[in-house]
């Protein structure tokens, strides 16, 4: 079919606008998806983001037969900071905790605030021999933070090392959480490790 020049130009213009609308819509969908998976205060993954990505990584580890390290962390004394210094300072403590974790772990790791004062970090393609390296780096970052804030930034950590993937990510979290509570009883900045083969 032959279109008059003006009509063809109009069709091209409409197609270009239609294409631009689709591109904008896709960009907006990506932004909304990122917002749904991100904790707005700390810019870490939120609970949904953690479980979405971690479930995928567990399946990948099962196929590749590579180990996973799951850190479960509780920011010590957040209630006390909120009560004594106010919730704004409590927010600053959570942001400081997120910065420490971001500096400690790799870009490829899934670092998340899963709620309140609790954080979960999944380290992919990692085994228990490497856990010590991250623990030392974490301790160094915590020492640096001691003089940087008007409140103490300390954690209780539980670490679970997985070589068997018969558990769901939620069951793995339960193991790491139990280790964290063991650490919490021992005192601030303590770490408890369990290996699951």
């Amino acid at each position: 079919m032959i279109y008059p020049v003006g009509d063809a130009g109009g069709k091209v213009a409409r197609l270009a606008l239609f294409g631009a609308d689709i591109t904008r819509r896709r960009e907006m969908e990506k932004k909304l998806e990122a917002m749904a998976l991100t904790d707005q205060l700390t810019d870490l993954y939120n609970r949904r983001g953690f479980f979405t990505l971690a479930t995928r990584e567990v399946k990948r580890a099962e196929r590749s037969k590579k180990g996973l390290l799951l850190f479960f962390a509780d920011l010590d004394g957040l209630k006390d900071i909120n009560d004594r210094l106010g919730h704004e300072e409590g927010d600053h403590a959570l942001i400081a905790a997120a910065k420490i974790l971001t500096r400690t772990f790799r870009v490829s790791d899934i670092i998340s605030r899963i709620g309140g004062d609790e954080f979960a970090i999944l380290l992919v393609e990692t085994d228990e021999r490497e856990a010590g390296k991250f623990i030392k780096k974490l301790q160094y970052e915590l020492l640096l933070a001691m003089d940087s804030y008007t409140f103490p930034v300390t954690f209780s950590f539980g670490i679970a090392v997985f070589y068997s993937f018969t558990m769901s990510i939620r069951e793995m979290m339960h193991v790491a959480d139990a280790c964290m509570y063991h650490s919490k009883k021992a005192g601030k900045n303590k770490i408890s490790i369990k290996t699951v083969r």
Side-chain angles (χ1 to χ4, degrees):
M1 183 176 283
I2 298 171
Y3 295 99
V5 172
D7 190 39
K11 282 183 180 289
V12 169
R14 285 194 297 275
L15 285 172
L17 284 172
F18 182 70
D21 284 346
I22 290 174
T23 302
R24 277 198 294 275
R25 184 180 295 162
R26 285 186 182 147
E27 285 171 3
M28 184 61 73
E29 285 171 358
K30 282 181 186 175
K31 283 180 185 174
L32 289 171
E33 185 181 354
M35 285 173 63
L37 302 178
T38 304
D39 176 59
Q40 298 304 303
L41 178 65
T42 62
D43 283 333
L44 300 177
Y45 289 110
N46 61 18
R47 186 177 190 86
R48 178 188 289 174
F50 177 80
F51 280 107
T52 300
L53 297 172
T55 301
R56 195 180 306 157
E57 289 302 331
V58 169
K59 288 176 182 171
R60 188 174 294 160
E62 188 176 5
R63 287 193 303 270
S64 67
K65 307 299 182 200
K66 299 277 177 77
L68 292 174
L69 278 178
L70 178 56
F71 279 69
F72 197 93
D74 188 88
L75 178 62
D76 296 318
L78 181 62
K79 183 181 184 306
D80 186 49
I81 293 168
N82 283 334
D83 291 347
R84 284 188 310 105
L85 304 172
H87 285 271
E88 191 173 336
E89 283 299 287
D91 286 351
H92 288 182
L94 289 165
I95 292 165
K99 286 179 180 174
I100 289 167
L101 296 175
T102 303
R103 287 194 301 264
T104 300
F105 297 102
R106 305 166 300 191
V107 175
S108 59
D109 299 325
I110 302 167
I111 308 169
S112 63
R113 176 180 171 222
I114 57 169
D117 57 1
E118 293 181 331
F119 297 83
I121 306 98
L122 185 70
L123 287 72
V124 298
E125 296 189 5
T126 312
D127 58 33
E128 57 196 320
R129 291 170 299 176
E130 292 183 83
K133 177 180 77 175
F134 288 102
I135 290 167
K136 282 180 185 171
K137 194 170 180 195
L138 185 57
Q139 288 167 334
Y140 173 74
E141 291 294 344
L142 287 166
L143 275 174
L144 286 181
M146 282 178 70
D147 299 326
S148 303
Y149 302 101
T150 57
F151 42 76
V153 181
T154 62
F155 289 97
S156 297
F157 277 99
I159 305 173
V161 187
F162 294 95
Y163 295 101
S164 167
F165 302 104
T166 55
M167 295 183 187
S168 69
I169 189 63
R170 289 182 189 279
E171 290 167 321
M172 291 177 175
M173 287 279 286
H174 183 70
V175 173
D177 187 30
C179 288
M180 186 274 293
Y181 275 104
H182 182 72
S183 297
K184 207 165 190 60
K185 287 179 187 175
K188 294 176 180 178
N189 281 345
K190 301 292 184 193
I191 298 170
S192 175
I193 302 177
K194 179 170 182 156
T195 301
V196 179
R197 294 193 181 277

